[in-house]
Amino acid sequence: MKNVVGVKFKKEGKVYTFHAADLPLRKGDSVVVITDNGPAIGTAVTEVRAAPLEQLPANLKDVLRVATEEDFRTRESNQKLEREAMQFCVKRIAERQLPMKMIDVECLFDRSKMLFSFSAESRVDFRDLVKDLVQRFRTRIELRQISARQEARIVKGLGICGREVCCATLLHSLDRVSVKMAKEQNMSLNPEKISGLCGRLMCCLSFEYDAYADLKRDMPKCGKMVQTAEGRGKVIRQNALKGEVVVILEQGKETTFKAGDVQRDK
């Protein structure tokens, strides 16, 4: 058994498991942990728990300590450097007339590397830009081209529902979204109505898909013939949230029934 704790590095990020050893950690504590990229500051989002070795990842890393005032000053200094690097990079991109848009800059806790995320319509030759950045910041530089959905997650914004986009709040990973999911939820297939700020299909279609599929599992499908209290008819619409189906009867009348009140025609 080992004492482990769940740690997040970003509000919208996934939860990673770390070895807590005998540190007196509580949920909400800021901690310094060892990652593949060196030390980093994260937030404990679970209480410490004992877990059997066979349930733990093979490359389990350690929590070094509860974050100190010095650690917070280091993070603040790095954030200041990130803002400076963003301004410098945007200026160089404009001067070199590169077809790319800088989205985010991340400086590792020990400043051993800086990661620049950008978006572009196609591949970009940024070798000269990397030379500019290395010369200016004297550290390892990595430029990463990200997708439109990843850009929306970083930039954030309000969706058509009036709330902050799901990818920046409650989603830990950007799962695949398909038109089938929109159809299953009886959504209009108008691209303007089912697309998010990124121009791709809305993440909430994937997030809510399983719930809709579960609700509709025992409902008669559209196009199927059913027997109702008012006679035989064909299902033409479903309302999964209300548990209702709309049936067009043989005499041409459209009537709404509870899904449990109709029987599949044999």
Side-chain angles (χ1 to χ4, degrees):
M1 303 286 285
K2 280 193 174 184
N3 290 334
V4 296
V5 64
V7 175
K8 268 189 178 185
F9 298 102
K10 295 181 179 180
K11 179 182 177 182
E12 67 279 5
K14 64 182 294 188
V15 178
Y16 296 89
T17 300
F18 287 88
H19 180 214
D22 296 324
L23 292 173
L25 303 179
R26 293 179 299 178
K27 186 176 179 180
D29 284 347
S30 294
V31 293
V32 178
V33 300
I34 291 293
T35 72
D36 291 337
N37 291 319
I41 288 186
T43 302
V45 294
T46 68
E47 299 291 347
V48 176
R49 63 181 178 86
L53 296 178
E54 59 270 17
Q55 295 182 6
L56 300 176
N59 60 341
L60 184 68
K61 300 289 196 302
D62 294 331
V63 177
L64 287 180
R65 59 182 178 274
V66 176
T68 64
E69 289 299 322
E70 181 64 28
D71 293 324
F72 291 130
R73 283 194 290 270
T74 298
R75 182 172 65 178
E76 185 178 345
S77 176
N78 288 345
Q79 290 171 343
K80 181 179 179 181
L81 180 62
E82 289 169 351
R83 293 191 292 270
E84 178 187 340
M86 172 68 83
Q87 295 174 354
F88 177 83
C89 192
V90 168
K91 181 179 178 181
R92 279 290 187 267
I93 288 172
E95 290 174 352
R96 294 191 177 280
Q97 297 182 336
L98 296 173
M100 57 192 290
K101 181 172 69 172
M102 188 53 50
I103 304 300
D104 188 43
V105 179
E106 180 182 355
C107 177
L108 298 189
F109 188 74
D110 58 2
R111 297 196 178 187
S112 60
K113 183 170 71 172
M114 297 181 73
L115 176 62
F116 293 76
S117 300
F118 70 94
S119 63
E121 294 296 327
S122 58
R123 294 180 63 86
V124 180
D125 183 356
F126 48 69
R127 287 174 293 183
D128 290 336
L129 176 61
V130 171
K131 293 177 183 177
D132 293 338
L133 296 173
V134 170
Q135 184 177 11
R136 173 65 180 80
F137 297 105
R138 301 295 180 182
T139 190
R140 289 171 55 205
I141 300 295
E142 179 180 336
L143 265 72
R144 179 182 64 175
Q145 186 170 349
I146 62 175
S147 67
R149 295 179 73 197
Q150 290 172 315
E151 177 183 350
R153 185 175 198 171
I154 294 172
V155 176
K156 301 179 175 57
L158 299 180
I160 59 174
C161 59
R163 303 184 65 176
E164 191 171 15
V165 288
C166 295
C167 60
T169 51
L170 55 89
L171 294 184
H172 296 163
S173 59
L174 300 179
D175 297 326
R176 177 177 172 272
V177 187
S178 67
V179 174
K180 176 185 176 182
M181 295 176 178
K183 292 180 179 178
E184 191 72 22
Q185 296 170 53
N186 296 330
M187 297 285 291
S188 165
L189 298 186
N190 182 339
E192 294 183 359
K193 294 185 177 181
I194 59 175
S195 298
L197 299 182
C198 59
R200 306 296 191 270
L201 292 173
M202 294 187 295
C203 292
C204 57
L205 294 175
S206 173
F207 180 69
E208 298 173 355
Y209 175 71
D210 289 341
Y212 273 86
D214 186 58
L215 289 171
K216 296 173 73 172
R217 185 170 292 115
D218 296 325
M219 297 178 69
K221 300 184 185 306
C222 291
K224 295 295 183 181
M225 300 301 295
V226 294
Q227 293 288 347
T228 75
E230 298 184 27
R232 190 168 180 265
K234 182 170 69 173
V235 177
I236 58 174
R237 286 192 298 278
Q238 297 172 316
N239 188 327
L241 298 180
K242 290 184 177 181
E244 298 175 342
V245 292
V246 178
V247 178
I248 183 167
L249 302 173
E250 289 182 332
Q251 59 267 37
K253 176 184 176 183
E254 287 188 17
T255 308
T256 300
F257 298 93
K258 287 292 184 181
D261 294 338
V262 302
Q263 295 180 347
R264 293 173 174 82
D265 199 16
K266 296 181 180 179

